[in-house]
Amino acid sequence: MITGQLKSRRHFRQEGIQFCYQVKIMPQSDVLEKAYKVDWNSMGGDGPKVISGETDEAHPEIFTTIPPKVAETKPGQLTDQQIKEFFEEGFLLIEDFFERELLGECRSDIKDLVDQLAHKLYRDGKIKHLYKDEGLFQRLTKIEAEFPGANIVLHKQGIVPESVKKIWSHEKLLNIMEQLIGQDIAGHPVWNLRTKTPKNEATTVPWHQDVGYLDNNSYKVFQPTAWIPLIDATEFNGCMQMVRRGHSSGRVATHQCCSGGTWYVMLQDGEMEKTLGVKLPDDIVTCPVPYGSFLLFNNLIPHRR
């Protein structure tokens, strides 16, 4: 998302803040059920026989094979060329997709969440000011300056506003997912409201594959993710970066833990080149995402923010 090796981390100079929603979609199937079950039979006195994150398996066909074409034409569907690009590159920018009215509802709901957080911290004596006069993209930055970690508190609240439910179940978004994984669709329990307060280690996510956070069985499950910024996401304020075709081998590289003082796992450049067969920095693609658009990617593609 924003850095490969810690020494190469870029610090953005923005004065405000970026908000984005990240929703994951996955097939509702027996494969999915197996991916999230603990294999207790593999557990012994010395622990599990296979450690999560360590595998020599490769399943390129799961992440590179284009599924049969959906017969019915529906709103929002990708073109054949877009589907081809997604499966080849591992990601795809889809522009001017969401209604501004719906995204406006999201902004309003986030404004309320930040307001609730401000009042809670103020009541608990953690901050001395409520910063009521600050705008949506400045208020949390001010709060964070007084109480470092406020962005994490907001991120970990786990409150799903009604507007997010509308996005998660958006007809056009589900029509795209049907093209990628079929009609049996389930929302991943991991959804995120991510903030990007300036020069903040906790909002600077290093190179990783999403599967690096999950059990080995999940490596066989294709899970598309929609990254939806609520402001123009640029290189200046912290957009995404992808390693193009980093999913093509079907492999999961060995992640390290943890990045700095955070909980993030991370991939070293050399490990990506050795295991995934990519060439850095040539294969790094910076992905600005205009407001109203979103970035679609799979759970095996290396990315940072």
Side-chain angles (χ1 to χ4, degrees):
M1 288 179 176
I2 209 65
T3 181
Q5 293 183 343
L6 297 183
K7 63 182 180 182
S8 65
R9 173 167 292 158
R10 295 177 297 167
H11 292 292
F12 293 96
R13 298 170 292 161
Q14 78 273 30
E15 296 300 324
I17 182 174
Q18 176 200 111
F19 290 96
C20 72
Y21 278 118
Q22 184 169 322
V23 296
K24 303 176 188 293
I25 309 294
M26 54 193 178
Q28 189 174 13
S29 66
D30 292 340
V31 175
L32 174 64
E33 291 180 11
K34 294 176 183 177
Y36 294 94
K37 286 182 179 177
V38 176
D39 182 6
W40 296 108
N41 292 327
S42 69
M43 307 290 280
D46 297 325
K49 296 178 181 178
V50 179
I51 299 174
S52 293
E54 294 186 0
T55 178
D56 292 325
E57 294 183 29
H59 304 281
E61 70 286 349
I62 295 176
F63 302 94
T64 60
T65 302
I66 298 176
K69 187 173 182 177
V70 176
E72 184 181 354
T73 301
K74 299 179 182 180
Q77 286 178 324
L78 301 178
T79 65
D80 291 346
Q81 180 57 38
Q82 285 178 309
I83 293 175
K84 181 175 183 290
E85 180 181 342
F86 173 74
F87 279 96
E88 287 182 352
E89 299 295 310
F91 63 95
L92 179 71
L93 173 63
I94 302 175
E95 298 190 76
D96 197 23
F97 187 82
F98 291 104
E99 302 88 347
R100 297 302 175 96
E101 181 181 359
L102 176 55
L103 296 180
E105 291 179 26
C106 289
R107 284 182 167 187
S108 180
D109 284 340
I110 293 174
K111 183 178 179 180
D112 290 342
L113 291 176
V114 174
D115 186 64
Q116 294 168 20
L117 175 64
H119 279 85
K120 175 178 174 56
L121 295 176
Y122 184 78
R123 287 194 306 268
D124 292 343
K126 303 299 183 182
I127 59 175
K128 297 179 180 179
H129 306 280
L130 289 172
Y131 303 105
K132 288 183 177 181
D133 296 332
E134 298 292 342
L136 172 62
F137 299 106
Q138 292 79 34
R139 191 177 185 186
L140 186 59
T141 300
K142 295 287 187 179
I143 295 171
E144 178 79 20
E146 265 204 77
F147 183 69
N151 72 90
I152 301 175
V153 177
L154 182 67
H155 172 56
K156 295 296 183 180
Q157 280 183 328
I159 299 173
V160 186
E162 190 63 33
S163 58
V164 178
K165 296 177 183 177
K166 290 180 182 179
I167 283 184
W168 211 340
S169 59
H170 197 288
E171 179 187 9
K172 292 198 301 181
L173 184 60
L174 293 180
N175 289 341
I176 289 178
M177 296 306 161
E178 180 186 14
Q179 290 179 286
L180 304 180
I181 63 177
Q183 292 183 331
D184 293 328
I185 300 171
H188 196 288
V190 175
W191 70 275
N192 290 301
L193 167 61
R194 291 197 174 277
T195 67
K196 186 72 177 177
T197 46
K199 298 181 181 179
N200 192 313
E201 185 178 51
T203 63
T204 303
V205 185
W207 285 123
H208 68 285
Q209 297 167 287
D210 281 347
V211 289
Y213 286 95
L214 302 175
D215 184 79
N216 289 36
N217 286 328
S218 67
Y219 303 165
K220 305 170 188 176
V221 181
F222 174 47
Q223 302 174 26
T225 290
W227 191 80
I228 309 164
L230 298 178
I231 191 174
D232 288 335
T234 66
E235 186 173 3
F236 178 75
N237 66 13
C239 63
M240 296 273 272
Q241 288 188 313
M242 299 281 168
V243 178
R244 62 187 299 269
R245 304 197 176 195
H247 68 301
S248 300
S249 66
R251 295 185 178 278
V252 181
T254 300
H255 292 66
Q256 305 295 321
C257 187
C258 292
S259 174
T262 73
W263 62 92
Y264 298 128
V265 299
M266 60 183 180
L267 281 174
Q268 300 292 347
D269 290 8
E271 170 63 15
M272 283 193 284
E273 292 185 319
K274 180 184 72 173
T275 303
L276 306 180
V278 298
K279 184 179 180 181
L280 302 179
D282 295 357
D283 289 332
I284 296 176
V285 181
T286 300
C287 304
V289 182
Y291 180 59
S293 309
F294 75 97
L295 192 62
L296 179 69
F297 56 96
N298 66 46
N299 50 316
L300 214 59
I301 193 82
H303 56 284
R304 65 184 180 182
R305 181 174 71 89

